[in-house]
Amino acid sequence: METKPPLPPFSLDTAIVKVQVAEDAWNTRDPERVALAYTEDSQWRNRAEFFSGREQIKASQFYGH
């Protein structure tokens, strides 16, 4: 599995960086980039829908297309 810093445990500064990386990925509206902001085994929720893993994250329709 690929790892990208910053890694837990997070300090306030590294948590801010991690959130910014995810926000930047979302702002691209590119499902591949969004999915890469999360771990391969992420458990991800959007309101009442739940996704497991990058493939399901990429397949979701929440990117503004």
Side-chain angles (χ1 to χ4, degrees), residues 22-44:
E23 182 179 346
D24 291 347
W26 271 97
N27 287 339
T28 69
R29 297 182 179 202
D30 175 1
E32 186 70 36
R33 292 219 27 218
V34 172
L36 288 174
Y38 299 90
T39 61
E40 290 180 16
D41 59 348
S42 284
Q43 300 296 310
W44 191 72

Side-chain angles (χ1 to χ4, degrees), residues 42-58:
S42 284
Q43 300 296 310
W44 191 72
R45 179 176 100 88
N46 185 27
R47 297 189 176 110
E49 298 186 77
F50 296 85
F51 305 95
S52 181
R54 286 183 181 159
E55 292 305 313
Q56 287 186 3
I57 291 170
K58 286 190 289 189

